[in-house]
Amino acid sequence: MILKDLPKHKGLRNQLVATIKAKGIKDEAVLDAIKKIPRHLFMDSSFIDFAYQDKPFPIAADQTISQPYTVAFQTELLKVKPNDKILEIGTGSGYQTAVLIELGAEVYSIERQKELFTLAKKFLPKVGYVPKKLAFGDGYLGMLDAAPFDGIIVTAGAPYVPKPLLSQLKIGGKLVIPVGEGAQVMTLFIRKGETKFEKHKLGDFRFVPMLKEKE
Ligand code: SAH
């Protein structure tokens, strides 16, 4: 793969940023990250012409790279500060991972498909995005040995809210998770105390399903 980022790509990214801004994304740091990251390099070359449309796209293993607006929406909810410890469930293409790293987060990410895990592990450092840890495993369990986290972001549709994800948040930490089968409601949990969580529902989305652990 030739890793090229050309002026035409930058131009297309500026347009993409204008599009997602018009759809309501306000966080300048998030918009800047999207302006910088060469999304076309995270996609199969056959789809390169579509990389800067505000749409999800197929990647390997029947998965998708999330729609930029959705990535921005979820990231905005996390309110990432530099050096925050963030756990991502569903590494996929690594694009969301890169957005979090661009914001200065220390990123831990779990992917359940071996093929995608292997690809992301090789690819991300090549484009200058080095996560703290990429793990091949089951996101329903979170990452106990690295917990607690300032934020956890789930990038697949969860049929229910896995308990370990709530318990691996710091007090004040946030879980952003699309919940539901078929379609999902974007849900934000803020941990207020040991057993106290604030819950906000933030609109309808459609994700590939979060898969149960392989039997
Ligand atoms: N963040 C990714 C989105 C990929 S789509 C991106 O920006 O490209 C959702 C991803 O979640 C897929 O890669 C899928 O394989 C992964 N996934 C699904 N169920 C999972 C689980 N139980 N644990 C970890 N990852 C999972």
Side-chain angles (χ1 to χ4, degrees):
M1 183 171 34
I2 311 161
L3 301 176
K4 266 197 193 154
D5 190 32
L6 303 171
K8 85 166 176 191
H9 296 123
K10 292 205 175 81
L12 291 168
R13 277 205 291 283
N14 288 339
Q15 285 174 25
L16 173 63
V17 166
T19 304
I20 62 175
K21 218 171 164 173
K23 290 182 181 173
I25 303 300
K26 290 190 181 71
D27 188 323
E28 287 295 335
V30 173
L31 293 168
D32 278 350
I34 288 172
K35 207 176 269 183
K36 270 199 198 151
I37 301 171
R39 187 174 188 254
H40 61 286
L41 300 179
F42 291 72
M43 300 170 55
D44 287 349
S45 56
S46 49
F47 296 121
I48 231 151
D49 288 342
F50 301 98
Y52 294 110
Q53 296 182 11
D54 188 25
K55 287 183 181 159
F57 253 93
I59 54 174
D62 288 333
Q63 300 303 319
T64 62
I65 176 169
S66 301
Q67 180 175 349
Y69 170 74
T70 306
V71 171
F73 189 87
Q74 287 193 277
T75 309
E76 191 169 63
L77 289 175
L78 275 179
K79 295 199 168 55
V80 178
K81 295 185 300 302
N83 302 317
D84 271 2
K85 211 165 138 183
I86 306 286
L87 174 65
E88 176 190 27
I89 309 299
T91 316
S93 68
Y95 180 73
Q96 171 76 70
T97 320
V99 170
L100 295 166
I101 295 172
E102 191 63 65
L103 294 173
E106 213 177 72
V107 184
Y108 298 75
S109 186
I110 307 175
E111 172 56 53
R112 183 190 165 283
Q113 302 276 359
K114 193 68 180 265
E115 183 184 359
L116 292 171
F117 161 74
T118 308
L119 277 171
K121 206 170 167 77
K122 270 201 223 137
F123 171 73
L124 280 168
K126 274 196 207 160
V127 282
Y129 293 105
V130 182
K132 190 81 180 168
K133 182 171 180 184
L134 291 186
F136 169 55
D138 181 14
Y140 280 89
L141 306 174
M143 201 184 279
L144 194 54
D145 55 352
F149 297 97
D150 296 289
I152 301 180
I153 177 169
V154 178
T155 71
Y160 58 88
V161 181
K163 290 237 164 62
L165 300 186
L166 289 169
S167 66
Q168 290 175 24
L169 287 176
K170 291 182 188 172
I171 306 294
K174 301 181 189 73
L175 167 64
V176 176
I177 181 168
V179 187
E181 316 223 24
Q184 291 83 31
V185 177
M186 192 62 75
T187 312
L188 167 67
F189 291 89
I190 305 174
R191 188 168 201 172
K192 292 292 184 184
E194 207 42 52
T195 55
K196 202 166 161 241
F197 294 87
E198 211 177 85
K199 180 178 176 181
H200 305 266
K201 292 186 178 178
L202 296 148
D204 297 330
F205 287 80
R206 194 168 279 273
F207 284 77
V208 291
M210 188 173 173
L211 306 162
K212 287 302 288 178
E213 199 171 17
K214 273 190 186 133
E215 284 163 15

